Amino acid sequence: MDSMQRDMEAYYKKLEAQMNKRIHASTNNRAFTMTAGRALAAHLKRVKIHRRLTTRWLNHLGLVNKDELAALSVRIIENEEKLDGLDDQIYTLKKSQHKNQLLLNSIHHSLEEWVAFLRIEMKELHNSKIINLEKELLDLKELFKEESDLEESDNDRKK
């Protein structure tokens, strides 16, 4: 609140200096310039008094004054900026999430193809192993048959 009053005072003092220069340039009368300056200073005093009275009445009635409204406006603007930043972050995260979801779907589809391929390969491998085992069993059977035939023939010879 004080900084706002100081800013207004500085504004009025600057305005007073400009008016004094113009009045002095127009009238070229120092006394008139001094009188106008005093009138402006008296006006500035009245403005300060009215501002203080208005602020007191607003406080007494429980209403916000101009400075409090300005502070609230600043906070609203800051919060809007934060919300905009969060909105941008959410948008970026959603884009990233969508991109990652597409990649994940692609990987999932690729893995399904690999699983199907590996199942076929496993079946073929399993079937080839069974066929090889059957051949080996037949070979063993033949081998045992030959051995048993040899043993029989040896037994027959011994007799």
Side-chain angles (χ1 to χ4, degrees):
M1 187 164 123
D2 289 333
S3 65
M4 187 71 124
Q5 284 180 344
R6 280 188 229 124
D7 291 342
M8 294 303 288
E9 285 179 33
Y11 170 74
Y12 282 122
K13 288 195 186 268
K14 187 175 180 181
L15 182 63
E16 179 185 9
Q18 289 174 352
M19 287 176 68
N20 285 341
K21 285 180 188 176
R22 284 190 182 169
I23 292 170
H24 188 65
S26 300
T27 63
N28 201 14
N29 185 342
R30 181 158 172 76
F32 184 77
T33 304
M34 295 295 285
T35 305
R38 280 192 296 269
L40 197 54
H43 174 71
L44 185 58
K45 258 186 183 176
R46 279 188 228 115
V47 167
K48 287 179 187 179
I49 291 168
H50 283 285
R51 181 170 289 138
R52 273 186 259 143
L53 284 173
T54 305
T55 303
R56 285 181 186 163
W57 272 105
L58 288 173
N59 288 339
H60 177 70
L61 295 173
L63 300 172
V64 294
N65 61 30
K66 187 171 95 175
D67 295 332
E68 292 170 341
L69 219 72
L72 186 61
S73 297
V74 168
R75 288 184 64 196
I76 288 172
I77 290 169
E78 288 172 353
N79 287 334
E80 283 178 350
E81 290 172 356
K82 287 177 185 177
L83 280 174
D84 287 343
L86 290 173
D87 197 31
D88 290 344
Q89 285 180 347
I90 288 171
Y91 176 75
T92 304
L93 288 173
K94 276 188 169 184
K95 272 180 72 173
S96 176
Q97 183 184 16
H98 180 70
K99 181 181 172 184
N100 290 340
Q101 188 65 40
L102 291 175
L103 284 171
L104 189 60
N105 288 344
S106 172
I107 290 170
H108 181 71
H109 180 70
S110 178
L111 285 175
E112 285 177 344
E113 289 176 356
W114 270 104
V115 166
F117 173 76
L118 289 174
R119 282 187 180 148
I120 292 170
E121 286 294 315
M122 288 298 293
K123 278 185 182 179
E124 288 177 4
L125 183 65
H126 182 68
N127 288 339
S128 71
K129 281 185 176 181
I130 289 176
I131 291 172
N132 284 342
L133 281 173
E134 286 176 347
K135 283 182 184 177
E136 287 178 10
L137 281 173
L138 286 175
D139 288 346
L140 278 174
K141 195 175 184 182
E142 284 291 320
L143 187 66
F144 281 125
K145 188 176 181 185
E146 287 176 10
E147 271 191 39
S148 76
D149 286 345
L150 280 175
E151 283 181 11
E152 282 181 21
S153 68
D154 277 346
N155 283 340
D156 285 341
R157 274 194 229 165
K158 284 183 186 178
K159 287 187 186 182

